[in-house]
Amino acid sequence: MQASVDRIRRDIDRINQYTGPGLGINRLSFTPEHQGAVDYVRKQLEAIDYEMRVTAHGNYRFRRKGDDWSQPAVTSGSHLDAVPEGGRFDGVAGVVAAVEVARLLAESGDKPSVPYEIIVFSEEEGSRFGGVLTGSKAMIGSLTKKDLVQMQDQTGISYIEAIENIGVNTSDWDKAVIHPGDINAYFELHIEQSLVLETKGIPVGIVTDITGIRIYRITYQGVPNHAGATPMPLREDSLAAAAEAIQAIESLAQGASGGTMVGTVGIIENEPNVSNVIPGRTHFSLDLRDIDRECLVNMSETIISQVKDIATRRGINCTIKMTADAPPVSLSNRARQALLDATKELGIKALEMPSGAGHDAQEMARVTDVGMIFVPSIGGRSHCPEEESRFTDIAHGTSVLYSAIRKLCL
Ligand code: GLV
Ligand code: MN
Ligand code: MN
């Protein structure tokens, strides 16, 4: 059976009606926009006899009514939260594909002996509470309830408060954690977010490895002073120090051997941020990634030591906090093979490739077999309003997903 392009297009368009003001898509976790999108998915699945369980961690799980929730399921999903001014496909494509698989299974008339489950993870992007892959990390127990009391949004609301405010009962936190053996397999379809598939003219990617990510929040504390009256040698300028650090990060990441290291400073907050005052305090982020764990750890240590050296040389203070650490993973042979077999059966050309973006799949890979499908991103743009993929490509990827999942469920 083939996935329906029309249903996929409709689902993606409807979900993206749930967006806040601003360019592109604005849908932070647990906001009314996010709740609207989750509710749309719930209604689609209820129409084919699925029920929703909201987990104590604020994720959403769906199985057919009457299925045994204690039996390990073959699962698929992704996320509905988006980066600010984000695109229409990141996360949404994977959720919609997982829903379409449920429809195809229902239409096939097959009687699966292993249940199929859809999972919608929350706060994958970390755009509201500052981590990354937060819902999936909570689900597998690598972030505790205490951790999530400490993770707060810009208004001081913690992750726990945010989910309790929308009615989530967090008392079963530990019982909701998933352990090895609790899930049969996890599959995620995602847009590629780069140019490889489009450049090679290949409609489907099968992911081999997912990048490791370390995120830091760095603060330089200098001395605010008069921009006119303070001579250059007497300044303790936190922003000038940050500028030096940002350049060092770029050249260290560029010079890394292996060619898969990337380093980004995406946030800069400067105080008092006034033209005639020497900056006194500057916060900036560091997002460092590599598919090689050892290279990632070594490079993060090198960068952090340079960041400290810059502060020492300039006579200012420096504080550094690691806010996320997701190790790289190689995906399971079993799940990868199921996807490769499906592409062969369907006559769809596929390319095995690594993922430079982070995905909930890499957290799930710590507790179960994980497979990931990429579909081409037009122009390789992502995390921006210009993010674009063809609905026909998403449908091809979904047909591959369905074929692999059906085999494991029967
Ligand atoms: C998630 O999209 C990430 O790769 O940061
Ligand atoms: Mn994503
Ligand atoms: Mn993303």
Side-chain angles (χ1 to χ4, degrees):
M1 289 179 73
Q2 301 281 332
S4 156
V5 180
D6 288 343
R7 287 194 298 223
I8 286 171
R9 180 188 292 112
R10 184 200 60 196
D11 286 347
I12 292 177
D13 286 348
R14 295 264 175 91
I15 287 172
N16 285 319
Q17 285 172 359
Y18 297 99
T19 177
L23 290 176
I25 299 301
N26 291 279
R27 194 166 48 237
L28 295 181
S29 301
F30 316 124
T31 57
E33 296 78 41
H34 185 241
Q35 291 305 286
V38 170
D39 221 45
Y40 174 79
V41 169
R42 177 181 61 76
K43 286 189 185 129
Q44 296 309 302
L45 287 167
E46 281 177 358
I48 49 167
D49 235 18
Y50 277 62
E51 61 179 354
M52 177 171 91
R53 288 199 178 172
V54 186
T55 77
H57 312 134
N59 297 308
Y60 303 89
R61 301 178 63 176
F62 303 84
R63 287 195 189 191
R64 269 176 60 126
K65 283 188 194 134
D67 276 354
D68 175 4
W69 281 81
S70 67
Q71 191 185 348
V74 174
T75 63
S76 183
S78 195
H79 60 98
L80 292 173
D81 60 301
V83 296
E85 303 196 345
R88 296 180 300 138
F89 297 91
D90 181 354
V92 175
V95 171
V96 166
V99 170
E100 179 66 6
V101 167
R103 291 190 188 112
L104 294 172
L105 283 170
E107 287 164 6
S108 73
D110 290 332
K111 298 271 168 285
S113 58
V114 175
Y116 172 59
E117 176 178 322
I118 296 109
I119 309 179
V120 177
F121 292 103
S122 294
E123 192 61 358
E124 189 266 0
E125 302 286 8
S127 296
R128 177 163 177 194
F129 297 99
V132 70
L133 314 175
T134 308
S136 50
K137 277 178 183 287
M139 186 181 260
I140 65 151
S142 71
L143 280 175
T144 63
K145 195 169 179 180
K146 210 169 129 211
D147 294 328
L148 294 191
V149 168
Q150 279 160 10
M151 283 172 75
Q152 297 181 350
D153 69 9
Q154 283 183 341
T155 66
I157 296 175
S158 74
Y159 184 100
I160 299 295
E161 278 174 290
I163 59 177
E164 286 180 347
N165 286 348
I166 55 162
V168 176
N169 176 357
T170 62
S171 59
D172 272 347
W173 190 272
D174 292 336
K175 250 175 70 189
V177 170
I178 284 180
H179 303 282
D182 291 347
I183 282 185
N184 180 306
Y186 173 75
F187 290 94
E188 183 166 351
L189 176 145
H190 207 279
I191 54 166
E192 183 205 334
Q193 308 178 282
S194 184
L195 276 171
V196 178
L197 292 173
E198 190 183 49
T199 310
K200 292 187 187 290
I202 298 179
V204 164
I206 306 294
V207 177
T208 53
D209 304 86
I210 306 179
T211 188
I213 309 173
R214 282 190 160 190
I215 301 176
Y216 295 85
R217 178 173 169 85
I218 300 165
T219 304
Y220 279 151
Q221 177 74 55
V223 175
N225 210 339
H226 197 289
T230 316
M232 295 310 283
L234 299 184
R235 294 172 178 228
E236 290 163 36
D237 182 332
S238 57
L239 183 58
E244 195 180 333
I246 293 167
Q247 294 241 324
I249 289 165
E250 187 184 41
S251 63
L252 282 165
Q254 261 167 2
S257 58
T260 46
M261 173 81 57
V262 286
T264 306
V265 175
I267 298 177
I268 187 145
E269 293 159 10
N270 186 51
E271 296 171 22
N273 216 30
V274 172
S275 66
N276 60 355
V277 181
I278 297 165
R281 187 188 290 141
T282 307
H283 308 278
F284 59 104
S285 58
L286 164 63
D287 177 311
L288 192 69
R289 305 182 183 211
D290 200 355
I291 52 173
D292 184 316
R293 173 77 177 162
E294 209 183 312
C295 291
L296 178 63
V297 170
N298 291 342
M299 180 56 83
S300 60
E301 283 166 5
T302 305
I303 288 177
I304 292 310
S305 112
Q306 286 225 11
V307 163
K308 287 181 183 159
D309 288 349
I310 290 167
T312 309
R313 184 163 31 78
R314 288 172 168 267
I316 63 175
N317 284 324
C318 171
T319 52
I320 297 165
K321 189 171 166 223
M322 194 196 283
T323 57
D325 185 15
V329 295
S330 293
L331 298 187
S332 105
N333 284 335
R334 170 179 168 246
R336 204 158 118 192
Q337 199 53 53
L339 294 173
L340 284 170
D341 291 348
T343 58
K344 284 202 191 96
E345 259 164 45
L346 295 167
I348 293 176
K349 204 167 164 201
L351 177 75
E352 292 197 77
M353 61 190 296
S355 169
H359 301 288
D360 293 310
Q362 73 202 88
E363 293 303 319
M364 295 302 277
R366 303 212 221 177
V367 294
T368 189
D369 287 332
V370 166
M372 267 199 95
I373 300 178
F374 275 170
V375 296
S377 290
I378 300 170
R381 301 285 304 278
S382 187
H383 281 186
C384 57
E386 292 78 12
E387 185 175 271
E388 201 56 73
S389 283
R390 273 177 287 271
F391 294 109
T392 45
D393 285 337
I394 298 171
H396 279 129
T398 306
S399 297
V400 173
L401 186 70
Y402 165 68
S403 171
I405 287 174
R406 176 176 173 272
K407 270 217 185 110
L408 297 187
C409 283
L410 284 183

